[in-house]
Amino acid sequence: MAQPVGFFTDTTLCIGCKACEVACKEWNGLPDNPLEFRGSYDNTGQLDHANWRHVRFVEQTTKSPDKPIAWSMMSDVCKHCANASCLEVCPTNAIVRTEFDTVFIQQDVCNGCRDCISACPYGVIGFNSNTGTAQKCTFCYDRLQNNLKPACATACPTQSIKFGPLDEMRQTAATRLATLHAQGMSEARIYGDKEYGGLHAFFLLTDKPETYSLPSTESAVLPSRNNIPGYLGAVVTAVVAAVAGLIAFRRRGEAKP
Ligand code: SF4
Ligand code: SF4
């Protein structure tokens, strides 16, 4: 029976091989990237319509004279948010939640308005000018429907990308975090327990989220839920308008002969 699924990506195990990127492109028939040197081993650059996985290379200077540069690698992807702003804003209901609790863009319903692209706080959705539609990771919906693991998780040689039932993944993440803390990695943390209602693709990071170009935990909430004064103001305005309408309606009724 279908159940909520998730990715737990342990960035401490990522070696930056990009097997996940290649497997995703191969399974989903995505176009390759132009061959150009971008000043980094990260020649993918970003998530977009042609890149549904992106191994982010975070370069940081160290105090060691032998190794002045250190890399942190993180295989990024659509977070399949519990509170998904892309799904909320889509005017044609092209974006749906599947039986696996993932977020899926129906290509035959998308009208290419790009509202979802502006709404996604993680910048994962791209516009495909050939199809005229918005595109992103499908969580390999076709593979899930056939009891197969997503292509990226299947290809990962270090099991940095783990896939399974969401509850099981959260438990695995908590155990791994406790191990790293016991080893003295006090900066290790889970990103995705609370952000946007909980992410179905969540991460073990060794630094603050901003280092990986992720929004901080405090800011990772939908604006309407965050803006309590604005929300209350809208409710009061709506109630006042409704009462005024009722009074006007009754007065019109009383004025009739
Ligand atoms: S990461 Fe962006 S595209 Fe993915 S579910 Fe969340 S809001 Fe939607
Ligand atoms: S789940 Fe499938 S579509 Fe999504 S990044 Fe992995 S391979 Fe690509």
Side-chain angles (χ1 to χ4, degrees):
M1 203 177 86
Q3 59 183 324
V5 296
F7 280 132
F8 163 43
T9 300
D10 182 346
T11 64
T12 65
L13 300 180
C14 181
I15 55 173
C17 70
K18 308 188 193 184
C20 52
E21 287 191 16
V22 175
C24 178
K25 278 185 182 283
E26 196 173 10
W27 181 259
N28 295 294
L30 303 180
D32 55 6
N33 296 343
L35 285 173
E36 59 183 2
F37 183 58
R38 304 169 62 112
S40 161
Y41 287 114
D42 181 356
N43 62 336
T44 302
Q46 61 183 14
L47 293 167
D48 55 29
H49 76 278
N51 297 290
W52 297 353
R53 270 271 172 201
H54 167 220
V55 181
R56 196 181 283 284
F57 283 64
V58 180
E59 289 178 352
Q60 289 173 303
T61 51
T62 74
K63 290 182 181 143
S64 162
D66 300 334
K67 293 180 186 166
I69 302 283
W71 279 285
S72 300
M73 271 84 72
M74 170 197 161
S75 182
D76 200 6
V77 71
C78 170
K79 316 299 180 291
H80 296 270
C81 315
N83 298 333
S85 48
C86 59
L87 187 151
E88 303 267 342
V89 303
C90 177
T92 64
N93 291 330
I95 305 184
V96 294
R97 195 163 292 282
T98 71
E99 65 271 36
F100 303 102
D101 219 9
T102 57
V103 178
F104 181 78
I105 306 179
Q106 302 173 95
Q107 292 297 298
D108 56 341
V109 186
C110 174
N111 69 357
C113 73
R114 309 183 208 196
D115 285 0
C116 58
I117 297 176
S118 310
C120 173
Y122 293 106
V124 312
I125 310 177
F127 183 72
N128 184 335
S129 51
N130 291 326
T131 60
T133 56
Q135 294 181 336
K136 71 167 187 73
C137 161
T138 63
F139 223 118
C140 281
Y141 187 39
D142 51 350
R143 290 176 67 94
L144 295 185
Q145 287 174 311
N146 287 283
N147 294 318
L148 291 170
K149 270 197 331 189
C152 52
T154 305
C156 178
T158 64
Q159 297 190 8
S160 171
I161 303 172
K162 298 179 197 348
F163 164 82
L166 187 61
D167 291 348
E168 216 174 276
M169 289 295 99
R170 294 227 184 267
Q171 188 54 52
T172 304
T175 305
R176 175 70 174 153
L177 183 66
T179 302
L180 293 180
H181 281 171
Q183 290 173 351
M185 290 184 67
S186 56
E187 287 300 305
R189 68 198 73 195
I190 302 297
Y191 183 86
D193 279 347
K194 303 190 192 84
E195 294 76 2
Y196 295 106
L199 308 177
H200 281 250
F202 58 97
F203 302 84
L204 192 154
L205 307 177
T206 55
D207 206 338
K208 53 186 185 304
E210 296 91 320
T211 304
Y212 301 82
S213 303
L214 295 166
S216 69
T217 299
E218 297 70 38
S219 62
V221 285
L222 285 187
S224 56
R225 288 162 206 272
N226 205 18
N227 184 5
I228 297 295
Y231 175 74
L232 288 177
V235 169
V236 169
T237 305
V239 169
V240 169
V243 170
L246 264 177
I247 291 170
F249 182 75
R250 286 194 63 175
R251 279 188 183 151
R252 266 209 307 277
E254 285 164 8
K256 278 183 186 163

